Amino acid sequence: MVLIVGGSYQGKTEYATSNFPNCRFFNQLHLFIKKRMDEGMGQEAILKEIYEAISEGDWVLIADELGNGVVPMDEKDNEWREVSGRILIELAKEAEEVHRVVLGIGQRIK
């Protein structure tokens, strides 16, 4: 598994498709996490579902970094930001590679 993170509209998808053309993509992982939280799922259940979804094949997970901006005023948005960050930390631990993309330029950080 490869994890690619970066800010919104920084070229993560384009970077992923050019550098990992033979992999399957799980794009906008941060929005998947939000949807599952809105459905009442907790962090561990969401993480388990992600691992089950990517259990076979070569996967590239792509997510926005949510923790580098203004802290949300809304409690639910703040919780989403924190849960998303914790899930990405766990995924990064297990990933073979982790890349961060800024302005379309990717850097391998693991």
Side-chain angles (χ1 to χ4, degrees):
M1 174 219 334
V2 174
L3 176 63
I4 298 176
V5 296
S8 294
Y9 308 106
Q10 292 294 310
K12 295 178 299 292
T13 303
E14 293 83 2
Y15 177 82
T17 55
S18 5
N19 288 282
F20 304 97
N22 298 321
C23 293
R24 298 170 72 184
F25 296 97
F26 194 144
N27 202 355
Q28 298 188 332
L29 182 61
H30 59 290
L31 296 180
F32 173 82
I33 293 168
K34 181 173 180 33
K35 181 179 180 200
R36 290 302 190 250
M37 288 180 68
D38 289 346
E39 294 169 353
M41 289 180 72
Q43 177 180 325
E44 292 302 319
I46 296 168
L47 189 58
K48 182 180 177 185
E49 185 174 350
I50 292 168
Y51 280 130
E52 288 172 359
I54 64 168
S55 65
E56 295 185 23
D58 294 326
W59 283 88
V60 176
L61 311 180
I62 305 166
D64 283 3
E65 289 180 308
L66 303 176
N68 290 339
V70 177
V71 176
M73 296 285 292
D74 183 72
E75 188 176 323
K76 281 189 153 196
D77 286 342
N78 195 36
E79 182 183 7
W80 168 45
R81 174 181 138 150
E82 290 193 27
V83 169
S84 209
R86 288 187 200 115
I87 288 173
L88 290 174
I89 288 169
E90 293 305 313
L91 292 169
K93 288 177 186 177
E94 299 300 322
E96 295 169 21
E97 297 180 27
V98 178
H99 296 249
R100 184 161 190 264
V101 178
V102 177
L103 300 172
I105 301 167
Q107 179 179 25
R108 183 176 175 176
I109 57 177
K110 176 182 175 186

